[in-house]
Every structure is written in C-alpha cells, then in structure tokens.
Amino acid sequence: MATNQEPSTSIVLAEDDRATRDSTRLALELERYQVIAVSNGHEALTAIAKHRPELIILDLMMPHVDGLSVCRQLRNAGDNTPILLLTARTQVTDRVLGLDAGADDYLTKPFALDELFARVRALLRRSSYGSNGEWIILGDLRIDERGRRAYRKDRELILSKTEFDLLQLLAFNAGTVLEHHLIYDRIWGYDFGPDSKNLAVYIGYLRKKLELPGEEKLLRTVRGVGYVLMRP
C-alpha cells in the first residue's frame, strides 16, 4: 500500500522484540518514512534527543526503561512529539495507564499494518491540524491555533497534543454536537467502534482542565450521540 509520503518524515521506533521491530521498521520504510529503530527505552530517549522525530512509537514493555517511563520523561521535559504506544495488554486499565503517562494513542498487539499506518497518518496530521495563525475566541476561552495554546480567562490550559486537538475541533464547531465516529475520524483517523474508551478518557482529561470548580461548564455530553462545546 504505497503512499506519496516523503522520506523526510522521521519516526523513532522502540521495540525490544527483534522480529516485530524489524518487520515494523521495514513496513514503515516501504511507506517512505525514515525510521530510527531501537531496542529499549534508554536507546529511545537517546535517539529522540539526537534525531528530533515527528513521531515516536514505543513498546509498552521494554528492558532498562519501559514505554511508560519514556512517555513520562518526555512529557515532563515539555516534549509534545506524538507518541503511539504498542501494547500486548488488553485490559482497559493498562491502556489508560499509557494515556495517563502522556501517550497520544495506543495499538494492541498483534496489529494489522493498515491500522498502524492509519494511526501514524492520523497522529502526524493532528500535529499540524489547524495551524493557520487564527485565534478561536468563545467567551473567556481563547485558543491560539498557531501557538497551540489555550486560555480560560487569564489561566493557561496545560494540554497534551491530543487534548489540544480535541478542544480545537470542538471549538471550531462550537454549538454543534459532534458524533463519536466523526471525532474519532478527525482526531485519530480511525473509528475504534462502540466499545472503545479512548474518546471518553480524553474528554474526561479535557473537562478537568477546562472547567475548574466555580467556572461555567462549557463541554457537554449528549448521551449516545457525542459532545458539544457550548457557545457563550
């Protein structure tokens, strides 16, 4: 499934299983991504610092430094590079741990290559989505699209890449209920189906940062349908 992707887009792939690492690297290279493949979290941190990739793919369970620790270290250092977490664990709590650590998305092993490619394209697309230099202003909520920063009154919202993308999408369509499948398509590039908790988890994260106690509620849930950011 060849694409027109230029080979300048770089990805750091950290996977301790050699067969999985080699096959994934080759598949991504055939899609014309530049892949720096490493076998553990320590090597991943070194490669990220050296190459400054556009995307990071991390196995959850790795020797020396695991994927969760790599996520936390990068986010604590202010690195907002998109992170896709690979995990053989299927429990929701395990996946939520990855999201809590700062990962933008996760993919459960074994995975289809087409799904991997879709997740990669979506994360790369989201990193540049809406960068048109405009401000979105809704009452006391201000969103700087180029700077990828958001404010509620004088308070800056400290948002992850996924949280910002979700807020930006909802704000651009303020007053309109966005259905689950549409949000999945625009933010993740893939509809995970009715059993997925991905969207609900991120809505919860965003709501906690957007609506402190005493502040007007802006983000509303329309049960069974989707979410809407209310106009003032």
Side-chain angles (χ1 to χ4, degrees):
M1 186 177 115
T3 71
N4 295 322
Q5 174 67 42
E6 293 298 325
S8 59
T9 302
S10 62
I11 297 173
V12 165
L13 166 66
E15 166 63 65
D16 65 321
D17 181 76
R18 182 173 180 177
T20 302
R21 183 174 67 250
D22 288 348
S23 62
T24 303
R25 176 187 56 78
L26 178 58
L28 289 168
E29 288 178 342
L30 289 173
E31 292 291 296
R32 298 186 62 75
Y33 295 105
Q34 179 186 358
V35 182
I36 301 98
V38 298
S39 61
N40 60 63
H42 177 73
E43 291 178 355
L45 290 168
T46 300
I48 292 162
K50 179 180 179 180
H51 297 282
R52 310 303 302 173
E54 282 82 16
L55 178 70
I56 302 164
I57 302 177
L58 299 173
D59 183 33
L60 179 64
M61 300 298 294
M62 292 186 292
H64 306 304
V65 182
D66 63 23
L68 292 180
S69 297
V70 173
C71 284
R72 293 190 184 104
Q73 289 188 45
L74 291 173
R75 297 314 189 218
N76 288 339
D79 189 328
N80 289 320
T81 306
I83 296 175
L84 174 61
L85 201 63
L86 304 180
T87 175
R89 298 178 174 180
T90 58
Q91 295 297 317
V92 171
T93 52
D94 292 318
R95 299 196 295 271
V96 170
L97 280 175
L99 297 174
D100 281 340
D104 293 282
D105 198 0
Y106 61 83
L107 187 58
T108 303
K109 300 178 182 178
F111 51 82
L113 287 177
D114 282 348
E115 184 174 2
L116 171 66
F117 299 152
R119 304 289 183 95
V120 167
R121 289 193 299 269
L123 286 172
L124 291 171
R125 183 169 63 247
R126 284 159 51 198
S127 67
S128 59
Y129 170 73
S131 299
N132 55 13
E134 298 291 335
W135 283 77
I136 300 176
I137 300 177
L138 297 167
D140 62 9
L141 175 64
R142 296 175 294 126
I143 301 172
D144 175 6
E145 293 190 281
R146 181 175 295 280
R148 295 185 64 80
R149 303 174 76 174
Y151 304 85
R152 186 88 193 263
K153 297 181 180 177
D154 295 326
R155 175 174 62 88
E156 182 173 0
L157 310 181
I158 308 304
L159 304 175
S160 71
K161 184 176 294 296
T162 298
E163 291 163 357
F164 182 87
D165 290 338
L166 184 55
L167 176 61
Q168 183 183 43
L169 176 64
L170 290 164
F172 187 78
N173 295 278
T176 301
V177 178
L178 299 184
E179 297 183 10
H180 298 117
H181 70 84
L182 186 148
I183 298 175
Y184 273 123
D185 180 68
R186 292 293 298 275
I187 300 299
W188 282 274
Y190 188 86
D191 186 351
F192 302 126
D195 295 329
S196 174
K197 304 298 182 183
N198 237 19
L199 180 54
V201 167
Y202 272 104
I203 287 290
Y205 292 160
L206 179 58
R207 184 173 274 131
K208 287 179 181 178
K209 296 178 180 181
L210 181 64
E211 302 171 348
L212 295 185
E215 292 183 335
E216 181 184 0
K217 305 300 182 184
L218 299 180
L219 182 53
R220 296 187 182 178
T221 301
V222 181
R223 296 193 179 279
V225 181
Y227 302 93
V228 56
L229 194 69
M230 302 303 296
R231 290 186 176 276

